Amino acid sequence: VYFFKNVFYFLKMTLLILPLFVFQAGLTTYYHPGINVKKIHYDSLKLYENLEAETGQAVGLHTPGSVRIASTPARVDEMRYQMTRTHWHVTEQYMIGPEKVQELFPLLNMDKVLAGLYTPGDGHIDPYSLTMALAAGARMYGAQIYNPAPVTGLSQMSDGKWDVQTPHGTIRANRIVNTAGFWAREVGKMIGFEHPTIPVHHQYVVTATVPEVKALKKELAVIRDLEASYYLRQERDGLLFGPYEKMEKMVLQDSWVREGVPPGFGKELFESDLDRIMEHIEMAMEMVPVLKKADIINTVSGPITYTPDLLPMVGPHQGVSNYWTAIGFGYGIIHAGGMGKFLSDWIRNGEPPYDLIECDPNRYGKWTDVPFTCAKARESYGYNNVVGYPKEERFAGRPTSRTSGVYELLKDKGSMGFHAGWEQPHWFYKPGDETGYKPSFRRTNWFGPVGRECRLVMEKVGVIDLTPFGKFIVKGKDSHKLLDRLFANTMPKVGLTNISHMLTPNGRVYAEVTITQLEPGKFLLITGSGSELHDLRWIEREAVEGRYDVDISNVTDDIGVLGIAGPDSRKVLQKLTNEDMSDAGFKFLHCKSIELAGVTVRAIRISYTGELGWELYIDQKNMAAVHQAIMAAGKDEGIDNFGTYAMNSLRLEKGFRGWGAEMNCDTNPLEAGLDYFIKLNKPADFIGKAALQEIKAKGLKRKLSYISLDTDDIDPEGNETIWHNGKVVGNTTSGAYSYSSQQSLAFAYLPLELCSVGQKVEVELLARKYQAMVIQEPLVLTEPTRTRLQKKAKGKV
């Protein structure tokens, strides 16, 4: 990992634990389906393009471009989907027809080629030369590299610094970064972590000179035949071919997980097995006929480290201070330079340069055991080139140990989604529904049932399992003081709840949390499932560095959560409790401990659907009994279950922002329209306060807008490109169909001059531009607002 000139301070303060073993086919690409991972690829390639001039070390970079081949209609749709999400990025990417595909790779059999996704500037690089150039560049700016230097022990000092034991002696560092590749698990174990990484056997084949290749006047573009699941590029006057084997054939080096990497393993390779990849070779020969006569001169098989979801684990780790990871890189070369910059910028500035929570090491927890890791790594490798649909679900290794108290009751009644290890219902089946997971780029089998669930909540009463929420208890002498420092909102009084935001030093939105003060100095914090350890780490770090006298406990797995929402929700609950559930007796954003069907439940009057509702916090062991009692009590009211798809549609109608979409580390709360929750005048000097004051003084350049779309059988998902007068002007953040108004809705960031109600723009969906208009938010008033307006109208009468 190479760091730039301006990070000399960083290099002096940090120790990197990294391998110099190189096994790669050397592919480089600007392409990635992830929105911000594209930036990592971009920074890597921009570094590599200038590395030889900067260091004097040749790197063997070739940039003939690359083409992802579409040979099915679904794959064409996937390319359109990716084009929709790329126009507002800096990287070039084009959807091309068969003629252009053949121009870039004239040796193709074009019988099955429908289209291609072309990325200029892609290509390949010599991994060994690149490694030497990165090392030379690092030394130029002050880094010291010891090789070989196996780490034999890690000890943390009372001041948070680390002693790293090596054969060269003990090295003292302010922080350590574990970038040890397939040794990463062993380094993690030294301090009690079981990092969910596992080596996968990857093979590639190199041919002798192919006359047709040698006769070419320019280098072939790299191709990726997605249906046959392989990449192929020119290697001198021959070809290099690398397949991703199917799940049932690919090999995991799981013995290294159980027993560790064999001592002394370094530049060795695994024994190759052509039989495993013969199916891919035959398909490649059909697509590239010159392969039929090519002689194989080398078959390489080596380890590539996979995580359960194929994305790396990058950033500071929860549970111990000053320990960072950059591990699990299934595509190491193209990530190396960009991730180095991302990490060094984060460490120097105290916050990530942009949001990359999908790569946060804290997305995994104790539920990520070895069987799960193996099952998911096998699935991810075998599914490397499957069609990437929106709302994608993969089912290997599920369920984990994380199942809610109502999972057994609900698992066969609907379509389950995977959220931070939990199974959570997306939508529920009824007789006549087409059941199961049916992925599509358009409206599919869930569309009608989700509308049914939305009507249920709007007209009657529904119940939803919200157990995956992250849940923390913060208490102690300095609890109020700590939270006042962390959050931009004021702290709620005892028995009250509010929504608060943690900001970064530069005023970006690090987290959105619901806070309830249960008793004096004791707070319950609720965050999203994907943010659990991400947020906990931030809170723990501030508590340690600020020396606050607090106790912080993670109670996520202990407490189940049921949401009940709809106009009849009060009536149903009142049948089960003696507590006064009336509007006067149980006000909005109030919290009470109540007896519900003989079970003690902590109830908060709040609802993410925007309708009358409560969240019920219950011991997991009592959750099923409470759920059954509620369903029985609500029989006459037509009560039923609903899932997260309906909740998303309902929250969008009410104008509720979502963390990770409308707000994250790429946005500030003022442009996200969160002004109501940001108390710049509160006495506490909360993190990000000064930056926000400066942002406010300078004025905003863009604003979150609420838009309606005229669509047909497709709805926005988020990250789609927005056009105006033929120019790209912004992007959506999330979207859904509104069953109340029967139209598509989305949130979108637009420049200030295009934010006025009535402004018309275009939103690109699957390569087609749909008319859209900025509208007044929200489309549907929330229940508390409706109740307040009704009371006000009665008062006037």
Side-chain angles (χ1 to χ4, degrees):
V1 181
Y2 170 62
F3 300 97
F4 297 91
K5 299 175 186 177
N6 64 345
V7 297
F8 177 62
Y9 169 79
F10 162 76
L11 287 167
K12 290 200 299 182
M13 307 295 281
T14 301
L15 186 138
L16 296 169
I17 302 168
L18 71 160
L20 289 180
F21 170 84
V22 176
F23 161 73
Q24 291 276 333
L27 298 181
T28 56
T29 178
Y30 286 107
Y31 174 86
H32 194 278
I35 297 302
N36 276 354
V37 180
K38 279 184 173 74
K39 296 180 180 179
I40 296 293
H41 289 209
Y42 181 85
D43 286 341
S44 290
L45 266 166
K46 291 307 175 188
L47 168 64
Y48 302 162
E49 288 170 3
N50 298 302
L51 197 56
E52 183 174 346
E54 188 171 358
T55 66
Q57 171 74 48
V59 296
L61 178 63
H62 296 247
T63 56
S66 75
V67 180
R68 302 171 70 84
I69 295 173
S71 53
T72 67
R75 194 67 74 175
V76 173
D77 269 354
E78 180 187 29
M79 292 181 177
R80 289 171 176 159
Y81 180 72
Q82 290 302 330
M83 286 303 302
T84 291
R85 299 155 66 88
T86 201
H87 290 299
W88 55 283
H89 277 269
V90 293
T91 56
E92 287 185 88
Q93 183 174 294
Y94 305 97
M95 195 165 175
I96 57 177
E99 297 81 7
K100 182 65 176 179
V101 173
Q102 188 166 37
E103 178 188 329
L104 292 164
F105 202 103
L107 304 181
L108 282 177
N109 173 2
M110 300 299 294
D111 290 348
K112 295 182 179 179
V113 177
L114 301 177
L117 198 64
Y118 171 49
T119 313
D122 283 9
H124 55 96
I125 198 167
D126 175 43
Y128 181 83
S129 297
L130 174 63
T131 303
M132 295 303 103
L134 295 176
R139 289 190 183 100
M140 282 171 54
Y141 300 118
Q144 298 176 28
I145 300 175
Y146 299 87
N147 182 42
V151 175
T152 56
L154 295 172
S155 301
Q156 190 164 33
M157 305 295 100
S158 59
D159 62 359
K161 296 181 180 181
W162 289 90
D163 274 355
V164 183
Q165 287 86 44
T166 78
H168 300 273
T170 298
I171 303 171
R172 176 69 57 86
N174 280 10
R175 68 191 68 79
I176 53 177
V177 183
N178 180 353
T179 66
F182 49 73
W183 289 281
R185 283 184 65 91
E186 297 181 39
V187 172
K189 283 182 177 180
M190 294 178 185
I191 53 176
F193 289 120
E194 293 279 348
H195 294 315
T197 61
I198 187 169
V200 171
H201 288 224
H202 180 66
Q203 302 187 88
Y204 63 82
V205 171
V206 182
T207 75
T209 295
V210 176
E212 292 86 346
V213 174
K214 187 175 183 179
L216 293 170
K217 295 182 179 180
K218 66 177 183 178
E219 185 174 358
L220 293 167
V222 178
I223 64 165
R224 290 173 174 83
D225 184 351
L226 304 175
E227 301 309 315
S229 194
Y230 65 84
Y231 55 82
L232 187 145
R233 69 169 176 82
Q234 187 171 335
E235 174 70 5
R236 296 186 174 87
D237 291 331
L239 296 169
L240 183 151
F241 159 81
Y244 293 98
E245 303 156 35
K246 293 184 176 179
M247 290 173 59
E248 62 272 16
K249 291 185 178 181
M250 56 86 66
V251 176
L252 297 175
Q253 194 62 32
D254 50 353
S255 64
W256 290 9
V257 175
R258 297 189 304 269
E259 303 159 14
V261 182
F265 186 93
K267 297 180 181 179
E268 295 85 354
L269 295 169
F270 299 134
E271 185 175 346
S272 60
D273 184 354
L274 281 176
D275 288 341
R276 290 207 323 262
I277 62 174
M278 189 53 64
E279 178 184 359
H280 300 277
I281 291 175
E282 290 172 354
M283 288 188 286
M285 287 177 175
E286 183 180 353
M287 183 64 78
V288 187
V290 296
L291 277 173
K292 295 177 182 178
K293 297 181 290 182
D295 294 325
I296 295 175
I297 60 171
N298 196 14
T299 303
V300 181
S301 179
I304 294 179
T305 306
Y306 267 42
T307 62
D309 62 8
L310 192 53
L311 288 168
M313 299 169 61
V314 181
H317 208 289
Q318 187 271 332
V320 62
S321 58
N322 299 320
Y323 173 68
W324 297 58
T325 63
I327 60 179
F329 290 92
Y331 309 110
I333 290 295
I334 192 54
H335 285 153
M339 282 300 186
K341 185 177 188 303
F342 179 83
L343 271 177
S344 59
D345 286 350
W346 189 346
I347 290 174
R348 288 186 309 114
N349 299 326
E351 64 180 274
Y354 46 86
D355 191 83
L356 208 62
I357 194 172
E358 63 265 46
C359 297
D360 192 319
N362 305 298
R363 67 188 185 274
Y364 299 121
K366 294 179 180 178
W367 52 271
T368 322
D369 57 18
V370 172
F372 175 82
T373 300
C374 290
K376 297 305 284 189
R378 184 175 293 279
E379 178 186 56
S380 292
Y381 186 81
Y383 281 23
N384 238 296
N385 289 318
V386 298
V387 176
Y389 290 101
K391 296 182 171 66
E392 185 177 52
E393 289 292 326
R394 295 186 178 182
F395 296 94
R398 295 169 52 181
T400 71
S401 58
R402 271 191 153 179
T403 54
S404 78
V406 295
Y407 173 69
E408 291 297 326
L409 295 176
L410 304 180
K411 66 178 183 180
D412 297 323
K413 296 181 179 181
S415 180
M416 289 285 177
F418 188 71
H419 299 264
W422 299 95
E423 299 290 320
Q424 187 175 26
H426 279 167
W427 60 280
F428 288 89
Y429 309 144
K430 293 294 179 187
D433 291 341
E434 183 182 6
T435 62
Y437 172 63
K438 309 289 184 183
S440 175
F441 292 100
R442 296 171 173 82
R443 296 170 187 163
T444 181
N445 62 328
W446 53 263
F447 184 76
V450 170
R452 179 177 63 221
E453 292 174 16
C454 287
R455 290 189 293 274
L456 170 76
V457 175
M458 292 290 287
E459 299 170 6
K460 299 178 182 179
V461 54
V463 177
I464 184 171
D465 181 9
L466 297 173
T467 300
F469 282 164
K471 316 166 197 82
F472 319 129
I473 297 289
V474 179
K475 61 182 180 180
K477 186 180 73 173
D478 292 337
S479 59
H480 198 292
K481 184 179 177 183
L482 168 65
L483 298 181
D484 239 356
R485 168 67 177 159
L486 282 166
F487 290 94
N489 205 345
T490 54
M491 289 304 100
K493 296 178 181 179
V494 174
L496 298 184
T497 297
N498 72 16
I499 295 173
S500 301
H501 299 83
M502 289 193 291
L503 308 181
T504 70
N506 286 333
R508 298 172 182 173
V509 185
Y510 188 84
E512 181 177 77
V513 179
T514 301
I515 301 179
T516 304
Q517 187 165 187
L518 304 176
E519 55 190 64
K522 182 179 180 181
F523 296 85
L524 171 65
L525 276 59
I526 308 298
T527 189
S529 57
S531 309
E532 176 194 346
L533 300 181
H534 168 272
D535 295 0
L536 183 60
R537 183 202 67 82
W538 189 269
I539 295 167
E540 289 175 336
R541 186 207 61 180
E542 184 62 27
V544 170
E545 293 183 358
R547 299 182 179 180
Y548 293 92
D549 183 0
V550 293
D551 177 74
I552 302 169
S553 54
N554 185 358
V555 296
T556 300
D557 289 350
D558 303 325
I559 300 176
V561 187
L562 291 176
I564 179 169
D568 291 334
S569 57
R570 175 182 285 119
K571 187 187 302 183
V572 172
L573 291 179
Q574 193 66 78
K575 295 178 185 180
L576 299 169
T577 183
N578 293 323
E579 186 71 35
D580 181 4
M581 303 300 290
S582 70
D583 191 54
F586 204 142
K587 296 180 179 179
F588 183 58
L589 294 179
H590 280 231
C591 173
K592 291 183 181 182
S593 182
I594 65 174
E595 290 291 316
L596 201 67
V599 175
T600 301
V601 172
R602 194 178 302 280
I604 301 175
R605 190 179 158 195
I606 190 173
S607 172
Y608 287 99
T609 67
E611 293 304 301
L612 174 67
W614 285 262
E615 287 172 11
L616 309 175
Y617 292 80
I618 315 159
D619 284 344
Q620 285 274 27
K621 64 180 184 293
N622 296 324
M623 195 176 175
V626 172
H627 182 275
Q628 289 171 323
I630 291 173
M631 299 304 283
K635 186 176 180 180
D636 290 343
E637 285 73 28
I639 196 170
D640 213 337
N641 296 294
F642 71 100
T644 57
Y645 285 3
M647 184 172 70
N648 184 56
S649 175
L650 291 166
R651 72 96 183 169
L652 203 65
E653 289 180 346
K654 309 302 192 304
F656 289 0
R657 279 94 170 123
W659 192 90
E662 284 68 59
M663 50 182 143
N664 55 25
C665 288
D666 293 330
T667 59
N668 70 65
L670 303 182
E671 65 187 4
L674 300 172
D675 311 54
Y676 177 81
F677 306 103
I678 308 300
K679 302 300 190 283
L680 286 172
N681 59 349
K682 81 171 188 175
D685 184 23
F686 61 83
I687 297 171
K689 184 176 185 178
L692 270 192
Q693 289 170 331
E694 185 176 346
I695 290 169
K696 188 174 183 179
K698 289 182 177 179
L700 301 175
K701 294 182 179 179
R702 66 173 190 168
K703 191 85 173 177
L704 189 69
S705 298
Y706 195 55
I707 61 176
S708 63
L709 294 80
D710 296 324
T711 60
D712 35 49
D713 65 340
I714 183 173
D715 301 295
E717 295 280 342
N719 296 311
E720 291 95 357
T721 301
I722 299 180
W723 298 80
H724 179 62
N725 290 339
K727 295 181 180 179
V728 175
V729 294
N731 63 279
T732 62
T733 54
S734 63
Y737 184 75
S738 165
Y739 294 88
S740 297
S741 63
Q742 298 186 7
Q743 61 183 325
S744 288
L745 299 176
F747 275 119
Y749 277 104
L750 294 172
L752 286 184
E753 62 270 20
L754 297 179
C755 290
S756 301
V757 171
Q759 175 67 56
K760 293 184 178 180
V761 293
E762 294 176 305
V763 177
E764 183 181 350
L765 302 173
L766 292 187
R768 177 182 166 187
K769 295 175 184 176
Y770 290 85
Q771 290 296 317
M773 184 172 67
V774 177
I775 61 175
Q776 184 70 44
E777 62 171 295
L779 190 67
V780 179
L781 294 177
T782 63
E783 179 272 331
T785 302
R786 296 198 302 266
T787 300
R788 187 171 64 249
L789 292 175
Q790 288 168 1
K791 288 181 178 179
K792 188 176 180 181
K794 287 180 180 179
K796 287 182 178 180
V797 172

